[in-house]
Every structure is written in C-alpha cells, then in structure tokens.
Amino acid sequence: MAGFAESTAPADVVRRQYLASARGDLAALRATLAEDVEWTEMTGFPLAGTYRTPKGVTAHVMERLAAEWDDWTAHDDAYVVDGEDVVVLARYTAVHKGTGKPLAVRVAHHFTVRGGRIVRFEQFTDTALVRDAMTP
C-alpha cells in the first residue's frame, strides 16, 4: 500500500497541494498538477482567469499572492469526495501588503483528480471581501 506521499487517492493528492502551498514549496505543489491542468480563479477575484500548466499556475497565482499578501494561507477545513471530484471547504487568511488590512474569508474549492494529478480546479469565494482588504 502506498504511503501518503505516493498515494494517488484524490483527497491525498489535494491535501499534498494544500500542504505544499502552506510551506511555499512551489515545486511540490507543481508535482500535484497535471501538465494540462486548468486552474480557474473566480470572476471578481483579483487573479481571475484560467491558468494552464503547473508553472503557469504557480507563476500567475501562488507567486502573485505571495508578492501582494503576507502569510497568504488556504486552510483546508473539510473534504467532500465523490470519485475523482474533491470539494474542499476552506478559509483564506492573509494581510494585504499595500493596505495592512487582514483577510479572513470562506472559500470552496472544486478539484478533479485523475491519474494521481489535479487536472481541474475551480474557486468559489466572496470576492468583495478580498477586494475590501485590498482597498485603502
């Protein structure tokens, strides 16, 4: 039986992505993503759009979040798994570097995992709260 680090179970793959993100380990995070990943940040979110390739996702999402926010963290609170689909009920916490305002907002993430890699991601959050934290 494969250990957690090698497991291809969808929830384990997603959990490794959150752990890598929390550590700021972009190489480990990219290792959870399929080469043809489609990563969608919701309309209204500052990084709105769909990004492709592991390097594209980390460059356009994680690296930009790190540049604009202190201590950006996605806290994965609860998992709902249905086959290859994983929905995570989570929270974002951070402090915006430009305004000094804290952020604490609920979020839902929908992942699709195939062959031990994340092939699709979609974010759902209250974008107004994120923008409020960014506005002086």
Side-chain angles (χ1 to χ4, degrees):
M1 174 178 242
F4 174 74
E6 300 83 28
S7 172
T8 60
D12 290 344
V13 173
V14 169
R15 178 73 177 137
R16 286 197 305 271
Q17 180 273 149
Y18 281 101
L19 293 171
S21 179
R23 292 190 312 269
D25 186 344
L26 298 184
L29 192 150
R30 285 190 292 268
T32 67
L33 304 176
E35 283 302 314
D36 61 347
V37 65
E38 290 183 7
W39 187 281
T40 302
E41 299 286 324
M42 110 179 253
T43 300
F45 191 72
L47 306 176
T50 298
Y51 305 97
R52 291 174 174 78
T53 78
K55 285 185 182 178
V57 170
T58 55
H60 295 287
V61 179
M62 289 73 185
E63 290 178 23
R64 286 183 56 198
L65 289 171
E68 297 172 16
W69 299 85
D70 285 323
D71 302 317
W72 181 276
T73 306
H75 307 269
D76 52 333
D77 296 328
Y79 285 63
V80 179
V81 181
D82 182 18
E84 63 186 16
D85 291 302
V86 180
V87 173
V88 180
L89 304 177
R91 296 169 286 124
Y92 292 147
T93 59
V95 175
H96 191 263
K97 290 181 179 181
T99 66
K101 291 182 181 180
L103 172 70
V105 64
R106 296 291 294 158
V107 60
H109 292 154
H110 176 210
F111 296 87
T112 303
V113 179
R114 288 191 193 116
R117 297 284 184 266
I118 296 165
V119 296
R120 193 167 300 112
F121 166 88
E122 188 174 7
Q123 168 206 58
F124 303 89
T125 193
D126 185 339
T127 59
L129 291 178
V130 178
R131 292 201 176 273
D132 286 349
M134 299 174 70
T135 304

